Amino acid sequence: MALVQLASVLCFWWIVGAAYAIDSSWQSAHATLYGGSDASGTMGGACGYGNLYSQGYGTNTAALSTALFNNGLTCGACYEMKCNEETDPQWCLPGRTVTVTATNFCPPNYALPNDNGGWCNPPLQHFDMAQPAFQQIGIYKGGIVPIMFRRVPCARKGGVRFTINGFSYFNLVLITNVGGAGDVEAVSIKGSNTGWQEMSRNWGQNWQSNSYLNGQSLSFRVTTSDGRTVTSYNVAPANWQFGQTFEGLQI
């Protein structure tokens, strides 16, 4: 089990104000459901979060179509949704909303037309929602419902989490539990014996550094899509081990 450590008193931080706001206007799309009644089929996924229960995302999650997924950069973003009851009064639950986190990718199915099974084909904006989330705004038997959605800030408990995987000269850091905009667009890492180094995104929200950082305390700088940056110093102590998770400060 990965060890979660809070940033110590040696951890200093600052937050740079948002450079721009995320688009929170209502847009139209469609939603389907997957993963079963307990959402167990939603675990893992293209964002790399693994067990969504233990990571704190729970069952209010969704897989995004190509038009929304942005090759994984949208992972962690939060969306408020409501069923468009004016368009489909039969299968919508009126007056209800749900907020979900983007945790997976809904791949296109070019063998089927966009309006009959190819719901996630470009250029469609589509959410394949975890079944418990879907059933908060729509009726299960409907299968697919029209929705209205908008980006909203993510509310998270605790700080941003850094899970360090990989091996020497290949540090693969999974970043989870990001508040605010939720989706990370840039990460830098600093060892106690190095300067700041930009990390490259490997896949989903896994970011990599090819430097040798063993035996050094680690600091992280995270920037989200709205331009807000948080810097946490010495989050991981010098005796950190691969497979451990450390908690820094929140956006």
Side-chain angles (χ1 to χ4, degrees), residues 1-7 49 54-55 159-165 172-177 218 220 235-237 240-248:
M1 180 74 65
L3 173 68
V4 177
Q5 297 186 351
L6 289 173
Y49 294 142
S54 62
Q55 294 287 15
V160 176
R161 298 187 191 121
F162 306 90
T163 301
I164 308 172
N165 297 305
L172 192 65
V173 180
L174 172 64
I175 300 178
T176 59
N177 203 52
L218 302 180
F220 295 94
V235 172
W240 62 268
Q241 299 292 319
F242 290 106
Q244 290 182 314
T245 297
F246 303 92
E247 188 168 324

Side-chain angles (χ1 to χ4, degrees), residues 57 76 154 156 160 175-184 222 224 250-251:
Y57 297 114
C154 299
R156 304 290 183 217
V160 176
I175 300 178
T176 59
N177 203 52
V178 181
D183 50 345
V184 177
V222 175
T224 49
Q250 189 53 265
I251 296 290

Side-chain angles (χ1 to χ4, degrees), residues 83 85 89 92-96 137:
C83 200
E85 57 196 84
C92 286
L93 295 175
R96 299 191 186 184
I137 60 171

Side-chain angles (χ1 to χ4, degrees), residues 57-248:
Y57 297 114
T59 60
N60 282 359
T61 63
L64 276 56
S65 65
T66 301
L68 294 166
F69 191 64
N70 196 19
N71 197 32
L73 280 171
T74 310
C75 289
C78 294
Y79 296 88
E80 182 183 12
M81 301 179 180
K82 57 185 178 182
C83 200
N84 192 338
E85 57 196 84
E86 294 182 2
T87 302
D88 192 348
Q90 180 179 7
W91 302 117
C92 286
L93 295 175
R96 299 191 186 184
T97 65
V98 63
T99 298
V100 300
T101 302
T103 58
N104 204 354
F105 174 54
C106 182
N109 183 351
Y110 296 113
L112 297 175
N114 291 11
D115 60 354
N116 188 18
W119 312 123
C120 290
N121 293 349
L124 299 181
Q125 296 189 131
H126 188 90
F127 296 86
D128 200 17
M129 302 173 67
Q131 184 177 326
F134 179 93
Q135 289 187 271
Q136 293 180 56
I137 60 171
I139 298 172
Y140 174 82
K141 280 188 174 181
I144 180 171
V145 294
I147 62 166
M148 300 297 293
F149 74 94
R150 63 179 177 179
R151 283 284 299 271
V152 293
C154 299
R156 304 290 183 217
K157 295 180 179 179
V160 176
R161 298 187 191 121
F162 306 90
T163 301
I164 308 172
N165 297 305
F167 45 86
S168 299
Y169 294 103
F170 180 71
N171 308 284
L172 192 65
V173 180
L174 172 64
I175 300 178
T176 59
N177 203 52
V178 181
D183 50 345
V184 177
E185 71 169 19
V187 181
S188 294
I189 190 170
K190 180 185 181 302
S192 51
N193 298 327
T194 75
W196 285 103
Q197 305 170 20
E198 289 187 12
M199 303 184 76
S200 60
R201 193 172 63 88
N202 189 294
W203 67 280
Q205 281 302 335
N206 285 282
W207 295 75
Q208 78 176 66
S209 164
N210 295 328
S211 296
Y212 185 81
L213 297 170
N214 302 48
Q216 302 179 54
S217 61
L218 302 180
S219 305
F220 295 94
R221 180 172 292 161
V222 175
T223 301
T224 49
S225 65
D226 61 354
R228 190 176 294 270
T229 297
V230 62
T231 303
S232 299
Y233 285 98
N234 303 314
V235 172
N239 63 347
W240 62 268
Q241 299 292 319
F242 290 106
Q244 290 182 314
T245 297
F246 303 92
E247 188 168 324

